[in-house]
Amino acid sequence: MTKWLAGFWGRFRQRADKLNLFLALCLSALSVLCIYAIHVAGYCKERPYQIQALATGLGVCAVVVMVAVFDYESLAGLWRFYYPLTGALMVFTAFFGETRQGSDNRSWLPIPGVTSFQPSELWKFAFILAFAWHLAQVREDLNQPRVLIPVLLNAGIGVGAVLLQRDTGVALVLAAIAAAMLFVAGLSRKIILGAAGAVAVSVPVVWTYILSDFQRNRILSVFNPQAQEFEDVAFQQLEGLDSLGSGQIFGIGLFAENHNYVPEMYNDFIFTFVGESLGFLGCVAVVVALAVICGRILWTGAVSRSYTGKYICTGVFAMLAFQIIVNLGMCLMVLPVIGVTLPFLSYGGTSVVSVYISLGLVMMVYGANKKNMFGG
């Protein structure tokens, strides 16, 4: 047993991207500390920081097992098992799931007596794996209609399963993942331009007939947040800006007694608490850490000899980069609030485990790259 454990740990150490794992752990530690400080300030209950710490531990365990035991090519090839099961769970949640206060998204399933979880977070990496495998099989003929149509249908299923739950934020994340993976796979420029034109033409239709009044006000409030008609929808972002600004260069400290209250400050708007507590320098440190993680993921995909590996890294990069850009845009009030979390930092047990599993997928590609380079 001891020999097996030594070999298990040795394989993990040999294959893991230690810098990315270290940065992820630093961000998670900061997250737990911030959520605990928010609890001490009286702005959230005790449970969130406990769940965040537990989810981080589970996520790290998942990374260790994935990197030491599994092969990403084989895992992607098993899509026939996990993809339909996860999709069925998504459909079940759309009809029988729970909603949360302040949202009409039916995207949560309760675990009786324990907690609840969000299947769409599992759907993200299931989609990345399955779509990467699909693209790797058809890459040479991708722009042929007989091949492209099933690929686009696959992407549509990925986004549509989330739209069934009325979760616009996660649906946009899935759309960004699919678009990035298609681009890297070699989708024709003519098709890309045609799709961009179709999106541009559809904007008035979406604005008039699909978006709700509340969603339109969310967007309009970004341009005129002081207007009386946007007083309610702009409140969260205006309070967030006040918190960011009050931190100045060095911040007021995590456990200061005069923290501003921002709705969802331990979740989607945790960056505003970082800014208030640790100041501009703390915000820069967080952004740099996230940028390094994303950059190394992109580099891992670029040097991979496997097309499946390239597409997996592209999907994970697109997921993290899109969520980071949108979340920071929400906190800085340059983008409307659409309920997108900040990876590693925002509260959420399922989302934390999911982002670590996604990081584990990339590390599997990283380990295979090292094996190819050094013959280990």
Side-chain angles (χ1 to χ4, degrees), residues 298-316:
L298 206 57
W299 174 81
T300 300
V303 300
S304 174
R305 297 181 184 179
S306 161
Y307 286 100
T308 304
K310 288 181 185 294
Y311 303 149
I312 287 173
C313 292
T314 299
V316 175

Side-chain angles (χ1 to χ4, degrees), residues 85-371:
L85 285 175
T86 314
L89 188 63
M90 291 290 291
V91 175
F92 179 84
T93 305
F95 291 97
F96 303 104
E98 294 181 340
T99 60
R100 290 292 174 91
Q101 184 178 1
S103 171
D104 64 348
N105 300 345
R106 192 175 295 277
S107 54
W108 296 88
L109 280 180
I111 301 177
V114 184
T115 183
S116 59
F117 77 103
Q118 196 172 5
S120 59
E121 293 294 338
L122 305 179
W123 181 243
K124 287 180 188 176
F125 66 82
F127 173 77
I128 289 172
L129 264 178
F131 201 51
W133 184 90
H134 191 172
L135 289 174
Q137 303 307 307
V138 301
R139 60 181 180 80
E140 293 183 356
D141 301 311
L142 178 62
N143 294 298
Q144 299 296 322
R146 62 180 176 79
V147 171
L148 183 59
I149 291 173
V151 167
L152 294 179
L153 284 174
N154 193 349
I157 289 170
V159 177
V162 182
L163 287 176
L164 274 178
Q165 301 175 357
R166 299 190 293 273
D167 194 336
T168 307
V170 176
L172 289 173
V173 174
L174 264 294
I177 291 170
M181 293 173 75
L182 283 166
F183 177 79
V184 171
L187 188 64
S188 167
R189 292 182 181 179
K190 292 181 180 179
I191 297 174
I192 294 173
L193 291 174
V199 170
V201 170
S202 66
V203 167
V205 177
V206 173
W207 179 267
T208 305
Y209 299 105
I210 297 180
L211 295 182
S212 65
D213 290 338
F214 179 77
Q215 289 172 322
R216 286 193 287 266
N217 286 340
R218 278 286 197 191
I219 296 170
L220 293 173
S221 66
V222 173
F223 302 99
N224 189 14
Q226 304 297 336
Q228 187 173 357
E229 62 265 34
F230 303 138
E231 183 178 355
D232 292 335
V233 296
F235 174 77
Q236 183 182 31
Q237 287 181 292
L238 288 172
E239 291 299 308
L241 283 178
D242 284 344
S243 291
L244 278 169
S246 64
Q248 298 186 28
I249 301 297
F250 300 104
I252 64 173
L254 286 169
F255 297 99
E257 297 181 355
N258 55 335
H259 279 293
N260 293 324
Y261 170 71
V262 180
E264 299 296 322
M265 61 195 299
Y266 64 98
N267 194 353
D268 295 353
F269 275 70
I270 195 168
F271 188 73
T272 65
F273 185 80
V274 172
E276 184 180 42
S277 303
L278 304 178
F280 175 76
L281 294 180
C283 289
V284 169
V286 166
V287 171
V288 168
L290 290 169
V292 171
I293 290 173
C294 288
R296 288 183 69 82
I297 290 172
L298 206 57
W299 174 81
T300 300
V303 300
S304 174
R305 297 181 184 179
S306 161
Y307 286 100
T308 304
K310 288 181 185 294
Y311 303 149
I312 287 173
C313 292
T314 299
V316 175
F317 167 81
M319 179 187 77
L320 296 181
F322 184 85
Q323 290 188 210
I324 292 166
I325 291 169
V326 171
N327 184 275
L328 297 185
M330 285 162 42
C331 293
L332 296 171
M333 209 171 186
V334 296
L335 292 174
V337 176
I338 59 171
V340 172
T341 56
L342 186 60
F344 302 106
L345 289 161
S346 292
Y347 164 72
T350 316
S351 64
V352 170
V353 173
S354 172
V355 79
Y356 270 101
I357 290 176
S358 300
L359 193 64
L361 292 177
V362 174
M363 286 196 197
M364 291 163 73
V365 180
Y366 179 87
N369 291 348
K370 289 182 69 176
K371 183 177 179 181

